[in-house]
Amino acid sequence: MSSNASRVLLSSHQIQNRVRELAAEIDRDYPHSRPLYLVSILKGSFMFMADLARALNRHNVRIEFMGISSYGSAKTSSGQVKVTRDLDVNIEGQHVLIVEDIIDSGVTLSYLRRLLTQRHPKSLEIVTLLDKPERRIQPVEVKYVGFSIPDEFVVGYGLDYAEDYRNLSDIRILSE
Ligand code: PRP
């Protein structure tokens, strides 16, 4: 492994244990008689999505993806967010769980929550593997959080730096 991402913040073992706990909680909270739509926000959440979906103990999990991009390099509370890939299913009347890798400013998820609420799902909640509460600009209600982490630049398990490191199975802190 390249030396500038050598400090492990969360090991693969810690992540997998927490994913199983989150899945057990989600399994308890949602009726097994109805489909549960998991909406993964590309690209960072692809690995979490795959592990979470496999840890759920039900057959009617629907796997969906959305692409979101933020304008400019700095995200601001003005919420300059746009959809680059939309859902191709109708979520009206469905239980929808947004699956994210990380919440930082909250701009992306507060926008997405507003957008998907307009489509009248039966329920709409968020699960994020990582949360950086110190960085919040816009408040966002998140039902399931894997780990609250300090304000460090993290990579691995889906998270990138200039598209590198997404394939790591643990989460590391990127140093200067
Ligand atoms: C990350 C993450 C969230 C967003 C969170 O995505 O996956 O979607 O940033 O940040 P916010 O709370 O400040 O809005 P990113 O834009 O890095 O794209 P990627 O998932 O394709 O790497």
Side-chain angles (χ1 to χ4, degrees):
M1 182 56 49
S2 161
S3 59
N4 58 358
S6 56
R7 202 173 126 211
V8 174
L9 179 68
L10 296 165
S11 69
S12 171
H13 184 69
Q14 284 175 293
I15 296 168
Q16 294 305 325
N17 282 344
R18 188 70 185 117
V19 169
R20 277 195 292 274
E21 287 174 359
L22 289 170
E25 221 180 305
I26 292 165
D27 261 331
R28 275 196 303 273
D29 290 350
Y30 288 91
H32 287 222
S33 55
R34 293 181 59 109
L36 173 60
Y37 282 72
L38 299 183
V39 177
S40 162
I41 311 306
L42 295 168
K43 301 175 188 173
S45 67
F46 80 96
M47 209 175 271
F48 179 40
M49 172 74 144
D51 286 341
L52 184 70
R54 281 179 289 190
L56 291 171
N57 189 24
R58 57 173 70 216
H59 69 278
N60 50 3
V61 174
R62 305 287 158 82
I63 306 293
E64 305 295 340
F65 296 93
M66 281 186 85
I68 304 283
S69 78
S70 305
Y71 292 113
S73 53
K75 290 173 179 172
T76 66
S77 54
S78 61
Q80 298 298 299
V81 180
K82 79 167 180 184
V83 173
T84 55
R85 182 200 191 281
D86 206 343
L87 292 174
D88 46 21
V89 289
N90 181 2
I91 56 167
E92 186 173 348
Q94 303 293 349
H95 288 295
V96 176
L97 183 58
I98 299 171
V99 179
E100 261 292 20
D101 52 329
I102 189 164
I103 303 182
D104 194 337
S105 67
V107 168
T108 306
L109 275 172
S110 54
Y111 170 83
L112 199 59
R113 202 184 238 295
R114 278 196 305 277
L115 180 78
L116 294 186
T117 298
Q118 290 164 9
R119 301 180 187 181
H120 307 294
K122 185 169 178 61
S123 69
L124 180 65
E125 299 293 352
I126 296 167
V127 55
T128 187
L129 182 67
L130 304 177
D131 184 15
K132 276 188 188 173
E134 286 168 58
R135 300 262 305 173
R136 202 71 91 251
I137 294 172
Q138 286 191 8
V140 51
E141 197 187 312
V142 184
K143 186 155 188 194
Y144 309 97
V145 175
F147 303 93
S148 277
I149 62 167
D151 184 14
E152 303 262 20
F153 198 98
V154 288
V155 295
Y157 198 73
L159 291 115
D160 75 308
Y161 171 67
E163 297 300 325
D164 282 344
Y165 303 107
R166 289 197 199 273
N167 62 312
L168 307 189
S169 55
D170 48 23
I171 291 175
R172 292 170 183 246
I173 294 176
L174 197 66
S175 39
E176 302 299 313

